[in-house]
Each structure stands twice: as structure tokens, then as C-alpha cells.
Amino acid sequence: MLNISIMTVESPSCLWGRVVRGPGGDVETTDQYDRLLAHMNLFYHDVTRDLLKLKPTSLEEGQVCVVYSSVMKSWCRAVVESIIMDSVSCQVRCLLVDHGGQLVVPADQIRIAMQTFLQVPFWVRRFHLAGIKPTTLRVSVHEEKAKLIASSQWDSSATLYLHNLLQASTRTEAVLLESESDCTAVELYLTVRNVKICVNDDLVAKKFAYYSGGLDEVDQLPVMLYSSSSTSNKPTAPTSQPAPALSSSLDSAVGASLLLQRPQHEPKNSEPDAAAAESDSSEETDLSLAAALTNDLSLFRVLKCLNPGSSYQQAAPTHEALQDGGPEETTAASSSCSGQEVISGAAGVCESSRADEGTRLVESGPAEKTWSSEEDWACSRLLEWLNPEPLNPDADAADDPAAPSDPRRTGILVHSALPVEPCSSLDDAPITDALRRVMKKHYGDLSPADRYSWPSVARGCNTVIVSHNADRPLSYLAPLLTHILLNSIFTSLTSSTGPIVVLLCPGWEKVQAVYDLLEEMKVASVLRPVVLLLGTGKDEAKAVRIPKNCLLLVTTPCSLVRLLSCHCFLFLHVYHLVLDEADQLFTRAPDQMATILQHFQKVTSSEENASCPQQLVAVAKRWTGPMEGLVANHMPYPCIVMTVPEEAALYGDVQQIVLMTLESSKVSVLLGALDFNPDVGQKTLIVANSAQEVEDVFKAVSNRSAFCLKTHEGLTHQFDFVIQQWRKDIGRGTHVILVTTTECLKCLGVGDASCVVHYGFPTSPKQFGGRLSFMAENFRNLSERDQTRSLPRPTRSVLLISERNAGHVVGVLRYLRRTSAPLPPELLAFAQGVHVAREDQKTNRPLCSYLKSFGVCRASSVCPDRHRFIPKLDQSVLPASGVIEVVPLYIKTASVFYGRVVQEDGGGFCSVASEMTAFYADGKPGAEEVLEGGFYAVQEDQVFHRVKVLSVPDRGDRLFFSVLVLFIDVGKEEEVKAHQLLQLPERFHSLPGQAVEIVVCRVKPIDAEADWHPKVTRAINQKIRGLQHRARAVFSLGNTVFVDPMVRVTQVPGMKTVINEYSVQSEILNTGMGTSNQEHLDPLRALCQEHEEAARISESGEGLASLEVRIKAEVEVLAEGGRLADLPLLEPLRPVSPVPAPEQKPLLDRRAAVGQRDARTADLKIGDGGELLPKTRRAAHLNPGGVPAGDGQQDCDDSTKSFHPLARWYQTSDCVIVTVKLRNPESQRCDFYPDRVVYSCRVNGRTYRADLQLHGHVSAERCCWEMKSNEPVLKLVKQQQGCWERLVKNRNIFVSYDMEHFEEDEDRTAKGPCFVEDPGKDDRYVNCVSGSESD
């Protein structure tokens, strides 16, 4: 048997319940559906969504939808049961498939059920009691007899009896018998007072039902039931009593009473013909009964006397206006049974009228109304349908839906001097039909960046695009080519000399990729694009000839600058400059980009070309500093489209503030970072990671701020109220604070915040940038030419880092390094330690190929390969010095080859090669079975090679297939046909592979290219492959030998003289595509030296710790840094100015001026130059006099220094309690004075001293101190009772309020100075009374 939970009882044939899936399964299921409801509430409460798209176009019975329940304050999945339409409105009755109730709502409150919300099956299932059918009592007045007959509907008394059994039971179990499409037959077992009852049998025993086999004469006899029989199962606990409306008729029964059964309107399956006949006869009997009662009034009076409690009363449906903005609805109660009628005796009966579906209780609340008759209730119900009052939670949004072009709804930042109308698909994109056909074939759907940038590019506007797919040239080529082909400048200048479009790419690979796309787009015949890649060869630029009909040039910045130096006149008609991956262009070639932009500005600003439009398009994945100058100096009236939130924050000049703290002190640090008395109005978002964090932070902040709001996943029904309060205009000195979670913020549509505090650490840069996007309306706008008229409000991001954030610090820190935020040294050291620990764990990865080839890896932080020396992998038996003879057999790149090191005695390879040739001369036996890791032979020309199979594909039914093999004597990997593999005798397996990696030193590609150009590799391959060379070994690692130089030596016939034909390094440099790399081996040698030093240190016996252990150690260092780091005093900046800020002053010069400021009120003020100034980065060093130590004292021993301890304080009406945060101090001393207190001690060999100038006066003779929890606690008795606004006169960075005791001051705070909320006449918040700052 399965445990089930019955949610709703409509009748014994209609039970709604949930199946508990065994021990512990109900908890998991509950969590699953709780998450589903949370996601649905966030989705359907999202104020940024278009309601028209969420409403169904049509409704039909059985349709799955989503409705709002005001009782549960939640959106619920539902199925449409019936649709009630009239001339005015349309009402829909729905079944809540996860809760079992029924709901009546206006049709316009129905929402579409998104596919993501239908993945979880419906929680509530429909059951019916198996093997039994309902009975009813037929009474003949003339014969004065009554008997039970079969019925097609259940009597309400049977439903009530079952309902009472369920409420009295302590355990509900069921045996599932058979399942139909919409219902499951069960045998229901209830445990009542430790007795297990089979409900199916109990209903038959009580004559409420009969078994499906039929009714015999005994079963047709009525049974006398006492009132105790029907109520004995009711629970005795007051909290679980049945509803009064359901049990009142039972309690009113007098003496022994016959419980008569009254049928209800319930749609049921058709019964057998006999039952139908009995039902028909019952209806005829009812008519005769009515006639008899009319004719014999005395008998009617007797019956009424015997049934004093049979008056018909009906609970009326009521409506409740929702105060939280949810839809209005009417719902049915869990039980459809109304009052039951009781008479004494068997000679008479009073059968009440059957109730309609509308007799169900209303979900809207306990309010009830008694109707005098069923007709009155029916009339009221009809009027209700004819005069509906649907409540639209967002009528304005329904009447005036938000335009789909609003980029904020999709998280896109669009700053444009001209209005931008986005395109929705390729069909309405501003491109030619020919390009549209190509794009549909190769590109697919438009990205958000394409929808907003294509209209601007096609119109010829200057455009900056920052998006994740910026490395795809198709994202901008189609509208650009459309503009060029359709523009009048194209037709007027086709006969001119030189290109009109220059497309710059960061490297030769991207240049070739763009050219191939132009070929595929079939514009080569019109624009005749040319690829230009120039080397550093002498007179190479002068020899270049560009065709006269070339209109589009694809090149790199360095190549274009070389060409401009010789053929400047060829680029006098460049009107379109495209920067592909602009961030990489400015990073790799900043000087060349400056030269190109200067030339472009001269060309476009000349008088001759004044009438010709200019266009500059920059596409990038990241926003960099040089791009700001690009927009400001070279892009008039630009359109800026950014779909990466974290890059938009860099563009918007969001100031990053990093605070280190312990997890236990985060609330204190948070309160110290907030300005509760700002000079200008501020809106601050405090973002937490959970609902519990939201509640905790709100409790602390609301004690200090009058305008504090909160919302989380459990308060989605308050979204409308919260956003209404947030959007009100604020006045000067007002600070509105909203505490919420990231998911809720997405639904609120907030975009005008001035500060975001990351109380919950963001788990990724994407989430970090998403939070910053809620300040987008206050980002600086570089598309506005005159920015002095309306300066944007300065925006800040405050990031709290504790010891629990170790797993995500590295990723966010990578982003923070791109900002100008000062980063704590402890944080940088921690990130470096984690990076080193992770590098040590890459034992299964090869040494980075770029590190070996050029001595540097550009992306070491994300490169999957190893960048550290591991002896067991990198220890080499190859020569590290001396002259060697090598034969390169496989040319991997221009400077990296695979080949053999020729030994003086010839070695064993020559003999093995000759034996293999002789073996296969007699026959070539094919491989019988191809196994991964097996050794075989392959013939190329007349040479037989040993190969090792690396992978074998799943051949299926194929007869021929290819396998990937490694030529162990050549070094190359290649796919060969499986039938080409030959058997390799065992004797040829013993000789190890002869392939050695050979790296030519001191050369690298020009122009900061990552890889060699194919033409250089091709030239070297043709020059050296298969020839013996003489080289000097200078270094070796593993199977790699580094040589410098490597030359081809030829001996003069008949003489001992040798001639150096060429040097490989010289051949590479002569191509013009390579340059000298003198520092090639320095990083590699440094890695070996680091390993040697580490080996000497580890000789004590300690090995390399695991990654988890090392990161844990770094976390402890980070936590210790949090203990030492003070709470930086954050000060607001002046509005951003387009004029560059003056140079920041040294940090140490400012410490003396701010060293005594209190961190509790650390509210944001402006430095002399408008820059953000953290007050200190670590605990200040004080001399015995309390003065900060100068630079000359930094090298002295700790025993001669004095450190200031951290102090936490709280107060009562008559004293102040100060806790010095030092554990187990020694040599303690505390001196009390009326206006100051001096405490000193020693801890771990260090001297600590605190000299506190008190804000008020104390009674020195009554003050004392003691040790509590191994920490010194000072009790300062006030001379006058009252509330101190702060502890010390001047702000002290080491003193803060003890937030563990802030609740004790709530009464005092309520009576003291506070903020009074007064929206005023203009619906603005004003600060009526402001209190002073506290510590």
C-alpha cells in the first residue's frame, strides 16, 4: 500500500490527492514543486514582460493554463473545466492540478502555461473508490415504505461521512487497482484511533453504497443510524474539527435518527439500465410525493415537526478585493456537501432540493451570507455573471503594451544619437534579398545585438557593437555590404583609384576567414575584395600593386601602416573603416591603430570629401580604454550596442569598490559602507543570495534607514508595491534602499539604481555584470556630444568578499583587474596562490606548446595545458648542449619540427628499417583486427612506417573506415584507411619511437601573431624536410630539444671542407613574416630554477599538497587578511566629468589625514581630484605615541611597534560596553579618564594600544574591565544617562558598533531622531528629521 494525502473530497467517486513516494520521497517532491512555484511566480510576476504575449488567444475545455490564487498568493497550474460566457464577460472555472481546488476567474486573467513549467507532472491525482456504487432512498408515501435503490450520483451525506472519516484519521493508505485516463481506482484504508478501516467496505456497511455485483433484498432495507454513529469518527482536537457548515445538521439530530441521503448534481459515468430505470421511477415518486404533501397538509406539518433542522441554508459566494494586485477569483471549497436532513421515524421524508455546482464555498475568505432560498442565491449568481468586476493587476500595461523595441527588457544597452528601430528577424532585416538568402543558409536567427545594430550599420551610422558573437564576421557584414552596394557613393566612385572600404582584422587567420565569407556571399564580382598581408621584407611594401577595381581591402593594422608609408595616395577614398575585434586591435597594435585613425580622419574631413558620408564600425567582445577615445574623437553621432552586461558596466564607468571582511562581520561592514544622509538622492540595491539573507539584511538596515524595502522569491505578490515605491521621485538627502535577490531584480525591471552592494557574492562574471546592469539608466552616454548639460549620477558597485567566497574569487578578480579599482593585496595573493595550486594539478596535461615555441603563453589563466615544470614529465634524456645531427621529417610549424636525432653509430633504427623493408618485400599481410593502442605498419611510397592506433571509430555496417594513427618514428598524426594497416611482427615492437620534437629558438611571428603564417611553414617544409641538418642543442625538456642555430651543412666533394648552405632561423626571417625573439628560453629556464628551489625546500619531507589542501590554506590566509583589513571609508564621487581626472595622490600621503575616521559612518565623500580613496588597506602601524609609523619604520621588528586593536561597542542608558577583539592578551593595562580610556596589552609578541577620545564623559572611578570569552571587555559608566551618537569624538577606522546588540536599542531608536516617510504633494520622498551619524 502507498501512503497518500487527500486534498479535496467531492464525492467517493472523486477524490483529489497526492501519492507520497515512500520514505523521504514526499520531502523531495515538495522541494521540487516549491521550486516550480517559485519560478512560476517570478515569471508571471515579472513587470517587464508583455502581458499580451502571455494571454492565450483562445480557450477551450481541457486546456492547461496558469491562474493566480489570492488565497495562496501564488500562480498555479490549472486545467480549464468549463467556460461561462455572457454578453458582458467571460468566466472560466479551472481545476488547480497541483492543489486540488477549483477556481473561477475572468478569462482575461488566464495566462499561457510555458513549456518549461510543464516538465513536472501534475502533483494532484484523481481517485475513486473501487468496486462500490452509490445508493439512494426511495420512499412511497401511499405505501408508507422506504427502500434503498441504486443511484447514478452520490448522496451528500455519504460525502460528508467520508469527509469526517478523513479528518478523524491519522494515516491514509491506498491500494492502486487500475488507472484510467483521468482517474485511478483505489481501495482506501484509514487509521482512526489505531483501528484500520477499509472505507470501501465501511460505506457499504453504512448503506451509503453497494458492491458492483448488485443490490439484494437485504441490502435494500434502510438502516437506523444513531447520531453517534455518524459523528463517532470526528476528531476531538479543536483545531481539527469539521467546518460548522458541514456538521451542524448532525449535531442537531434528536435521539435515534435515520440518516437520509440526498443526491447532488455531479457529472458521472452512465450507470446500468436497471439503475437508470430506478432513477426514473424515483423522479416519478418525487412528483407523487409533492402532490401528496400538497393535498395532505397535516402530514406535511407532522414531517416538518419531526425535522426541525431541515431548513435549507446555503453559504453564498463572496468576492475579495485583492490588496496585493493579484487577480480576482471565485473558487470552490474542498467539499461539495451541504447540510443534511435528519428525521425520526420511517413513515415520512423531507427531501431537499439538490444543490447546484455554485453551492460550493468561496475561496475568498471566511465571510459568509445566508440566503433565504435557493432561488435568491441563483438570482444573485446570475447577476454576478452579468455584472463582473474583474480586477486587472496592470491595466495600463494591458491597454498600452510596452514596445518590443525597449532594449532594457532584454538586458541590452543601446545608446544612440538617432532613434533605433530594431528588426525582429531576417525577413525584415535591412539587407538585400541576395544577402538574405545567403544569411538564411549560413547564419540562422538574429542575435539581440544584430537586431539593434543592423539598422544602424545599414543606415551608414557610426556603430560600436560589443557582444559575445563579435568574432563572427557575419554579425556585421550583411548590413555593411547592403549599405555599400546601395549607397550612391558606390556608383559615383567605382571609377576612382583605391578601395572605399578597409576591413581590419587582428590576425592573418581572421583575414582569410573574412575573405572566404565574402566569396560565399557572392559580392566578390562587384566589390573585388583583396587580401593584403605584408611582411617586414625590404621594399616589400613598395612592390605591392592593388588592382584599380578593388573596392574592399581586408588586412591587418600593421600591414596597412606599412602600405600607407609607401602608397598613401591609394587610400584617399576610404569612407568605410571596419574594426573587427576592435579590443584585440587596440591591444596588439595600439600605435598602428592611432596612425590609421588619424589618416581616416584626414580623408573624411577634407573639403573634397565633405559631401561624402563616413562610417566607422567597431565590433568587439570587450570594452577597452582606447575604445573610449575612438568613440569620442572619431565617431560623431554614434550608435553603441552592448549585449554583455559586465562590459556595459565598464563602458558606463561604474566605480568598483572591494571590501574584505569576515563572514560574521558582513553586516557591520555593510552598514559602514552605506550613507544614510547623502547630499543627493540615492537609490541603492543590496543583492543577497537567498531569502534568509534578505530578511537578515533588511532587519539590520531598516533599523538605520526609514526608506528600506525588501522582496524575495517568497514575496513575489508584493512586486507591484515594491516597484511603485521604488519608482517614486526622491528628494535631496533621501536614500532609498531595496534588499532583494538577483532573480527578483530581473522581474522588477529596475534600471535607475545609483549603487549596487553585492552582499551575496556573485558566482560568475556574468551574474556580476547582470547585477550592474540595474544601474544602466545612470551609465554615462558617450553618444551625447554635449555631456556637460546633464551629467549622469555617479554609479558604484560595492563587493563584499569573505572567506567563504574562495571558489569564485578568481573569476571575478579577472574582471576587476580590468577596472581601476584598488584591489587588496591579500586578495591578489590569494588568487595567485589558487592559480599556482591549480597549475600543480595539471599532471595529465602536456607542457603548453606556445610556451615551448615562443617562450610565452598569452592566455595562461585559461589555457588548459600546463605551465609549470614537473620532473617525471619534463625530465629529458636528450642532449641539452653540444652539436647534434637532426633529420626533420614532419614540419608542424615554421619553427617546430619532428624528426630523428642521428647517432654516430647509426643506431638501431636503420637496421630495423632495413629489416622491415625486407620483411614486406615477400608479402604484405593486412591487419586482421584493428585495436586501439595496437602497433601496425603503413606504407608510404616505398617506405614502411611503424604506427600506433590512437582511436578507432564505430564502424557499424561499413566495410571501409578510417582510423587515427601516430607515426611513432616521424611524429605526425594522420588518418589512414583501415585496410592500409599491415601486420607488424613482434620483433619490431621493441625499438622505442624515434620521433623527437625539435624547436628552433629565437624566432617568432611578426605583428604579435599567435601562429606562423602558412606560407612561412610551407616554405620551410619545402626547404628542410628529409634533409640532415647540424644544430647546437641549448636546452631540452621531455621529448623536446631546443636548438640554436640549425643549419644545412654540405661537404665539398673530395675535400674536408664543409659549407653552410643556409640557417633555418635566417630562412624564417627572410620571409618577412618572422622576427627575432631573444627572450625565448628565459621563461623556460626560470621554470626549471623554480622547481629546483622548491625541491630544496621540500627536502624536509613535505610533498606537494593536494589542490583542496592548498586552496584551504589560501582561504585561511584570505580570512586572516579579512581580520587585519580595516573597513575602508567609502566616499561618493562627484558626477562624472568628460575631462580626465587629475592624477591620484599616493595612498600613504592620505592615511595620516583619515586614519582616525570612524568606519561605522563610512559614507561616501569626494577626494580632492574626484577619485575614490580607500582609507587604508590593512591594520595601521602605530608607534607608542599613537602616531602612524613612517616608511622608515616599516623594516623594524614587531616588538618595537604598536598596533591598534579592533574594538566593538554598544550602549545602554547608563553605560557603554567596549569589547577589544584580542584573544588571550597578556600584560594588560587599562587607564580610565573622564574623557578618554587607554588600553594596552601584548598578543603573540606584538604590542597593542588603543587610546580612545570619548564622545561623552564617564565616571572614571566607576569604570572597570574584565575578561569574557577570553577577550577584554571594558565597562564605561556615563556621567549622565542618555544615548551617545558615537563612541569617540573623531572617526576611528578600528572602532565599530557591535551589531549583535542592535536589537537592544530598538526602543531607544524609535524615540530618538529618525526619518519620517512623507511623500509630499509632489509624490517625492523628503527627509523631515535627520539624526546625526553614529559609530
Side-chain angles (χ1 to χ4, degrees), residues 68-200:
Y68 183 81
S69 171
S70 63
V71 172
M72 292 183 290
K73 296 182 178 179
S74 173
W75 289 91
C76 308
R77 297 186 298 178
V79 172
V80 176
E81 285 192 335
S82 61
I83 302 174
I84 309 165
M85 301 183 65
D86 54 34
S87 60
V88 179
S89 65
C90 177
Q91 302 283 330
V92 180
R93 189 178 71 172
C94 302
L95 170 67
L96 305 182
V97 295
D98 294 323
H99 306 280
Q102 288 179 321
L103 204 64
V104 178
V105 296
D108 59 352
Q109 299 299 335
I110 303 293
R111 300 290 182 264
I112 296 174
M114 308 305 294
Q115 192 64 31
T116 54
F117 301 139
L118 299 179
Q119 304 299 325
V120 180
F122 297 153
W123 198 2
V124 172
R125 297 168 58 181
R126 181 178 176 182
F127 303 99
H128 72 271
L129 300 183
I132 61 174
K133 295 182 179 180
T135 62
T136 187
L137 187 65
R138 188 178 69 178
V139 180
S140 176
V141 178
H142 298 288
E143 298 178 1
E144 298 183 356
K145 292 183 179 180
K147 66 176 181 177
L148 295 172
I149 63 172
S151 175
S152 61
Q153 299 170 345
W154 286 97
D155 187 87
S156 60
S157 58
T159 303
L160 176 60
Y161 179 75
L162 175 57
H163 185 273
N164 291 337
L165 280 179
L166 287 169
Q167 288 203 345
S169 64
T170 57
R171 186 172 184 179
T172 307
E173 298 175 297
V175 176
L176 304 183
L177 298 181
E178 57 179 344
S179 296
E180 301 175 3
S181 59
D182 60 344
C183 193
T184 301
V186 297
E187 286 185 358
L188 187 63
Y189 294 86
L190 302 179
T191 302
V192 180
R193 297 179 180 176
N194 297 326
V195 176
K196 182 172 290 187
I197 302 173
C198 178
V199 177
N200 305 52

Side-chain angles (χ1 to χ4, degrees), residues 945-965:
H945 300 278
R946 298 184 299 167
V947 299
K948 179 181 179 181
V949 176
L950 299 180
S951 63
V952 179
D954 184 12
R955 58 181 298 180
D957 298 333
R958 293 178 298 171
L959 181 61
F960 300 100
F961 60 97
S962 300
V963 295
L964 180 65
V965 300

Side-chain angles (χ1 to χ4, degrees), residues 1118-1133:
L1118 180 65
E1120 183 64 25
R1123 296 186 182 95
L1124 296 178
D1126 62 278
L1127 310 181
L1129 197 60
L1130 310 178
E1131 302 188 352
L1133 300 183

Side-chain angles (χ1 to χ4, degrees), residues 1230-1242:
C1230 189
D1231 299 323
F1232 299 98
Y1233 304 94
D1235 58 345
R1236 59 193 284 256
V1237 59
V1238 180
Y1239 173 83
S1240 61
C1241 68
R1242 290 183 61 84

Side-chain angles (χ1 to χ4, degrees), residues 724-990:
Q724 179 185 8
Q725 297 298 315
W726 175 270
R727 288 175 178 173
K728 288 184 178 181
D729 295 332
I730 59 176
R732 183 177 181 180
T734 304
H735 193 172
V736 180
I737 301 174
L738 172 59
V739 188
T740 183
T741 61
T742 303
E743 295 300 325
C744 290
L745 272 178
K746 296 177 183 178
C747 303
L748 293 175
V750 174
D752 59 343
S754 57
C755 178
V756 172
V757 180
H758 306 270
Y759 185 85
F761 194 84
T763 57
S764 65
K766 180 179 180 180
Q767 187 184 79
F768 184 63
R771 295 178 178 180
L772 300 181
S773 66
F774 300 121
M775 299 184 288
E777 295 181 14
N778 291 320
F779 286 176
R780 65 174 176 180
N781 190 345
L782 295 181
S783 65
E784 297 179 356
R785 293 292 90 184
D786 189 3
Q787 299 187 17
T788 58
R789 293 183 179 179
S790 59
L791 293 177
R793 183 182 301 176
T795 53
R796 303 178 189 85
S797 168
V798 181
L799 179 62
L800 302 181
I801 300 179
S802 70
E803 70 276 9
R804 293 185 180 179
N805 310 133
H808 307 288
V809 163
V810 177
V812 176
L813 184 61
R814 193 180 301 122
Y815 171 81
L816 291 176
R817 282 174 172 166
R818 298 173 52 206
T819 68
S820 58
L823 301 177
E826 298 84 2
L827 183 61
L828 297 175
F830 167 77
Q832 180 62 26
V834 172
H835 176 71
V836 172
R838 290 178 176 174
E839 280 290 335
D840 289 342
Q841 300 303 311
K842 297 180 181 180
T843 55
N844 59 339
R845 299 294 304 173
L847 194 64
C848 178
S849 59
Y850 289 98
L851 188 61
K852 292 191 295 184
S853 300
F854 310 122
V856 63
C857 177
R858 293 181 182 175
S860 60
S861 59
V862 296
C863 179
D865 291 336
R866 183 166 45 88
H867 301 84
R868 297 183 67 81
F869 183 85
I870 298 179
K872 65 179 181 180
L873 299 178
D874 300 323
Q875 197 68 36
S876 178
V877 296
L878 298 175
S881 61
V883 178
I884 58 176
E885 298 287 335
V886 296
V887 179
L889 300 174
Y890 168 62
I891 312 303
K892 184 178 179 181
T893 68
S895 61
V896 179
F897 330 122
Y898 282 92
R900 291 187 292 106
V901 176
V902 180
Q903 301 179 3
E904 296 181 359
D905 56 356
F909 176 74
C910 295
S911 60
V912 170
S914 59
E915 290 179 12
M916 288 179 59
T917 303
F919 174 80
Y920 291 110
D922 299 335
K924 302 175 183 177
E928 297 179 356
E929 184 180 6
V930 180
L931 300 176
E932 185 173 338
F935 289 92
Y936 303 90
V938 173
Q939 181 182 4
E940 283 189 349
D941 298 331
Q942 301 301 321
V943 181
F944 294 90
H945 300 278
R946 298 184 299 167
V947 299
K948 179 181 179 181
V949 176
L950 299 180
S951 63
V952 179
D954 184 12
R955 58 181 298 180
D957 298 333
R958 293 178 298 171
L959 181 61
F960 300 100
F961 60 97
S962 300
V963 295
L964 180 65
V965 300
L966 170 65
F967 290 74
I968 60 176
D969 298 321
V970 178
K972 66 178 180 179
E973 294 181 4
E974 193 174 89
E975 281 194 353
V976 299
K977 301 295 183 181
H979 64 271
Q980 295 179 349
L981 297 178
L982 306 176
Q983 294 183 11
L984 187 66
E986 190 68 26
R987 66 178 184 273
F988 297 138
H989 294 186
S990 58

Side-chain angles (χ1 to χ4, degrees), residues 1206-1227:
L1206 297 177
R1208 301 285 187 268
W1209 74 281
Y1210 69 96
Q1211 62 178 326
T1212 62
S1213 60
D1214 57 350
C1215 65
V1216 176
I1217 309 299
V1218 181
T1219 303
V1220 181
K1221 307 302 290 184
L1222 293 175
R1223 305 286 291 183
N1224 300 320
E1226 301 174 351
S1227 304

